[in-house]
Amino acid sequence: MKGYAGKLLRVNLSNGKVATEEISEEMKRDFLGGRGFAVKLLWDEVKHVDPLSEKNKIIFSTGPLTGQALPSTGKMVIASKSPLTGGYGDGNIGTMAAIHLKRAGYDVLIVEGKSPKPCCLLIEDGNIKMTDASDLWGKSTFETEDILHGKHGKNIGILDIGPGGENQVRFAVVMSQKGRAGGRPGMGAVMGSKNLKAVVIKGTGTIPAADPNKLRELGKKGYDEIKAKDKYDWWIGQGTMQAFDWCNENSCLPTYNYREGVFEHSKGMDGEVVIKTKVDRKGCPLCNMQCGNVIEDSAGLRSELDYENVGMLGPNIGMKDLRQVALLNRMADEWGLDTISLGSCIGFLMEASEKGLIPEKVSWGDFEVAQKLIVDIGKGEGLGKLVFCGVRSASEIIGKGSHRWAMQVKGLEISAYNCHACPGMALSFGTSPIGAHHKDAWVISWEISTDRFSYNKEKVQKVIELQRIRGGFFESATVCRLPWVEVSFGLQSYPEYLEAVTGSAYRWEDFYQIGDRIYNLMRAYWIREKGTWSRQMDYPPDRWFEEPHSQGKMKGVKLDRVKYDEMLSWYYELRGWDQNGVPTKEALEKTGLKGVSKELIGRNG
Amino acid sequence: MAELKFLGYLVDKAGKRSQEVLLERPRRLRDLLPSPFPEQDIIILINQKVGNLDSMIQNGDRVVLMPMISGG
């Protein structure tokens, strides 16, 4: 099949061994790329290991569309067994490294083992080197990237970690291009555990395609179509920050550790404020609808904002001032910490302090304290030690019912959407295959436009449909979903793209089948690695069921546990999983996963 | 008075973030909006209930018009 570089690069940091392997035709056909390749490799190669041991592996995986001259294709997936959740973990990232990896002749990079000292992995086409990175250890991601560009030039791709990853904060991310982040469930910590400070890639080859002329024509048409969309200008102005006002209006803004869905200071940091304060726009390679809003933070330095980090470091911790939020966000990027989990951890500590469960005074909206907490978390010192492994772990340490408002699912902190009044989105978070993340299915618009308060089967079907498209296709192709989801770029373009790239004809039904296979294998991975499983793993936190909103138009609203449970049962039924959420042998074999079920026997909790 | 609130790119289409209109009799929502106004991929809530461009609006109604967004 064309369109792939066709090779996997394997580097072992313990012994310096480097190998290249062919990627089989079956692998391309059955798993497409990106997330699909990653979960297959983890299933086959990473079993029952400590995620922070040298036996874990980290996978950098592109797809057939990565790097092609098509809209928003500058993406790769970074995956590993998660040190935050203990299950399957991944995240996508927009980076020149994705393009350089393919130009260097590889679809996938697997890093194994552990370097005896801090190192940087340098990939220049077929020339692979591990260089000493002692001079970079301890440096922020911004400093690291400056130094690496100084050494290797501008025309490279860099994936790096900050001190957070070095210290193995369990929600440390991988960073690139001073503000792009990927791998929420601790992919940065996995790099840190391997003493791998950075991967630098310089590829000089050509990315192959079956029909380059057709591809050029489709690319031009696609870019032009996106720019002509009705919503384009607004998107360019606000990017994902358009969601801030929208979520506040619809009572789904995460506020005071997800107690409320509306924020009394929202006007201080909504999309209009962003437009007024914006000094630049940033984005991923090959994108013509860049979403990064750069503003000057309260220290006068540049910070790249999007909705998730403003939501979590703003209303969720009671911060009122956008420039101060921007400073916290820049600190998170420099330390290489996930802003969603970070905002949730700080919110958790503020609530714990308010309830008298910890002796330290950590008040809502206290800017000085928030800054200190970021440093403490990055170092694993003081109060930072308590949330170093995320809010689930923190609630297990302090007890006293704090698990009810530790806002996570499967150990991953929930993205910036409050679901007291969004049962479909609660199910989406509950069943997200990496823990509570929004990338797989975001269903709030749809449920508000139909019947917001219902718990019907149609809503469950919608969640699965979105998981197939967003979590299955886009994460594996590997290409950004935002042209489709944010400016209504047509889904019908993607089978055409795949055909021009690979030479094989695809229908959306084929992508759905691949998506279902990937979802079954991700779920199987969790179950095998956890050793036991029950439907409780697919529940959002008790707060949403027990504590109704006290403010706004949704005052008094909370989720109904019995009805949520019914939706979850339908979800399992539609996926062919049993009532504990374990894929049945039939469902696995229907998606071509023979032999997987025997590794799951006896796992029902 | 009826209150109309616009979110997202619909602010650009309406030329304002909100509007109050005094209605002598109930009117179709589309007659209160500039033309052309997007009809696809939008959500209309009238007093928190799902409506459409042909819904009848009367004094006291609060109408929110917003795009279908997809949460990043």
mmCIF file of all heavy atoms in Angstrom, chain A residues 144 175 211 261 266 269 282 315 347 378 416 468 485 538:
data_model
loop_
_atom_site.group_PDB
_atom_site.id
_atom_site.type_symbol
_atom_site.label_atom_id
_atom_site.label_comp_id
_atom_site.label_asym_id
_atom_site.label_seq_id
_atom_site.Cartn_x
_atom_site.Cartn_y
_atom_site.Cartn_z
ATOM 1 N N THR A 144 15.121 24.462 26.086
ATOM 2 C CA THR A 144 15.600 23.250 25.419
ATOM 3 C C THR A 144 15.468 23.381 23.910
ATOM 4 O O THR A 144 16.401 23.080 23.152
ATOM 5 C CB THR A 144 14.785 22.029 25.917
ATOM 6 O OG1 THR A 144 14.981 21.901 27.324
ATOM 7 C CG2 THR A 144 15.206 20.751 25.221
ATOM 8 N N MET A 175 6.315 18.055 24.611
ATOM 9 C CA MET A 175 6.095 19.388 24.039
ATOM 10 C C MET A 175 6.813 19.535 22.701
ATOM 11 O O MET A 175 7.768 18.818 22.404
ATOM 12 C CB MET A 175 6.616 20.472 24.994
ATOM 13 C CG MET A 175 5.981 20.514 26.362
ATOM 14 S SD MET A 175 4.258 21.028 26.384
ATOM 15 C CE MET A 175 4.335 22.682 25.684
ATOM 16 N N ASP A 211 -0.884 8.994 -5.917
ATOM 17 C CA ASP A 211 -1.244 9.863 -7.035
ATOM 18 C C ASP A 211 -0.955 11.327 -6.658
ATOM 19 O O ASP A 211 -1.860 12.077 -6.257
ATOM 20 C CB ASP A 211 -2.737 9.669 -7.357
ATOM 21 C CG ASP A 211 -3.152 10.382 -8.633
ATOM 22 O OD1 ASP A 211 -2.399 11.263 -9.101
ATOM 23 O OD2 ASP A 211 -4.237 10.057 -9.160
ATOM 24 N N GLY A 261 -21.348 25.398 36.600
ATOM 25 C CA GLY A 261 -21.148 25.435 35.152
ATOM 26 C C GLY A 261 -21.106 26.844 34.610
ATOM 27 O O GLY A 261 -20.999 27.046 33.393
ATOM 28 N N SER A 266 -16.665 35.507 34.011
ATOM 29 C CA SER A 266 -16.387 35.001 32.654
ATOM 30 C C SER A 266 -16.055 36.122 31.677
ATOM 31 O O SER A 266 -15.273 35.937 30.746
ATOM 32 C CB SER A 266 -17.571 34.175 32.140
ATOM 33 O OG SER A 266 -18.670 35.017 31.881
ATOM 34 N N MET A 269 -12.396 36.962 30.676
ATOM 35 C CA MET A 269 -11.493 36.067 29.951
ATOM 36 C C MET A 269 -12.153 35.321 28.792
ATOM 37 O O MET A 269 -11.681 34.263 28.405
ATOM 38 C CB MET A 269 -10.854 35.078 30.913
ATOM 39 C CG MET A 269 -11.822 34.158 31.617
ATOM 40 S SD MET A 269 -10.938 33.083 32.760
ATOM 41 C CE MET A 269 -10.370 34.251 33.972
ATOM 42 N N LYS A 282 -0.666 31.002 16.473
ATOM 43 C CA LYS A 282 0.251 29.892 16.210
ATOM 44 C C LYS A 282 -0.548 28.636 15.907
ATOM 45 O O LYS A 282 -1.706 28.533 16.267
ATOM 46 C CB LYS A 282 1.110 29.620 17.457
ATOM 47 C CG LYS A 282 2.307 30.554 17.588
ATOM 48 C CD LYS A 282 3.097 30.217 18.835
ATOM 49 C CE LYS A 282 3.858 28.902 18.694
ATOM 50 N NZ LYS A 282 4.580 28.565 19.943
ATOM 51 N N PRO A 315 -11.639 29.579 35.364
ATOM 52 C CA PRO A 315 -12.780 29.344 36.265
ATOM 53 C C PRO A 315 -12.625 28.135 37.173
ATOM 54 O O PRO A 315 -13.097 28.154 38.311
ATOM 55 C CB PRO A 315 -13.970 29.159 35.308
ATOM 56 C CG PRO A 315 -13.403 29.025 33.941
ATOM 57 C CD PRO A 315 -12.061 29.669 33.953
ATOM 58 N N GLY A 347 -7.367 22.845 41.482
ATOM 59 C CA GLY A 347 -8.752 22.973 41.951
ATOM 60 C C GLY A 347 -9.043 22.011 43.094
ATOM 61 O O GLY A 347 -9.717 22.361 44.075
ATOM 62 N N GLY A 378 5.780 20.441 39.807
ATOM 63 C CA GLY A 378 6.853 20.087 38.872
ATOM 64 C C GLY A 378 8.024 19.417 39.572
ATOM 65 O O GLY A 378 8.672 18.532 39.027
ATOM 66 N N ALA A 416 -12.185 20.219 30.063
ATOM 67 C CA ALA A 416 -12.868 21.403 30.586
ATOM 68 C C ALA A 416 -14.370 21.516 30.241
ATOM 69 O O ALA A 416 -14.818 22.549 29.722
ATOM 70 C CB ALA A 416 -12.126 22.649 30.120
ATOM 71 N N ARG A 468 -16.024 6.671 16.657
ATOM 72 C CA ARG A 468 -15.507 6.047 15.432
ATOM 73 C C ARG A 468 -14.805 7.072 14.542
ATOM 74 O O ARG A 468 -13.751 6.808 13.977
ATOM 75 C CB ARG A 468 -16.662 5.419 14.644
ATOM 76 C CG ARG A 468 -17.162 4.124 15.241
ATOM 77 C CD ARG A 468 -18.436 3.686 14.555
ATOM 78 N NE ARG A 468 -18.746 2.297 14.895
ATOM 79 C CZ ARG A 468 -19.939 1.758 14.744
ATOM 80 N NH1 ARG A 468 -20.941 2.474 14.262
ATOM 81 N NH2 ARG A 468 -20.141 0.497 15.060
ATOM 82 N N VAL A 485 -14.833 19.468 12.627
ATOM 83 C CA VAL A 485 -15.714 19.782 13.747
ATOM 84 C C VAL A 485 -15.934 21.283 13.939
ATOM 85 O O VAL A 485 -16.951 21.687 14.486
ATOM 86 C CB VAL A 485 -15.222 19.159 15.069
ATOM 87 C CG1 VAL A 485 -15.124 17.662 14.973
ATOM 88 C CG2 VAL A 485 -13.902 19.730 15.541
ATOM 89 N N ASP A 538 -16.149 2.903 34.186
ATOM 90 C CA ASP A 538 -16.719 3.777 33.153
ATOM 91 C C ASP A 538 -17.684 4.822 33.733
ATOM 92 O O ASP A 538 -18.539 5.344 33.017
ATOM 93 C CB ASP A 538 -17.437 2.920 32.096
ATOM 94 C CG ASP A 538 -16.467 2.041 31.326
ATOM 95 O OD1 ASP A 538 -15.317 2.468 31.126
ATOM 96 O OD2 ASP A 538 -16.854 0.933 30.909
#
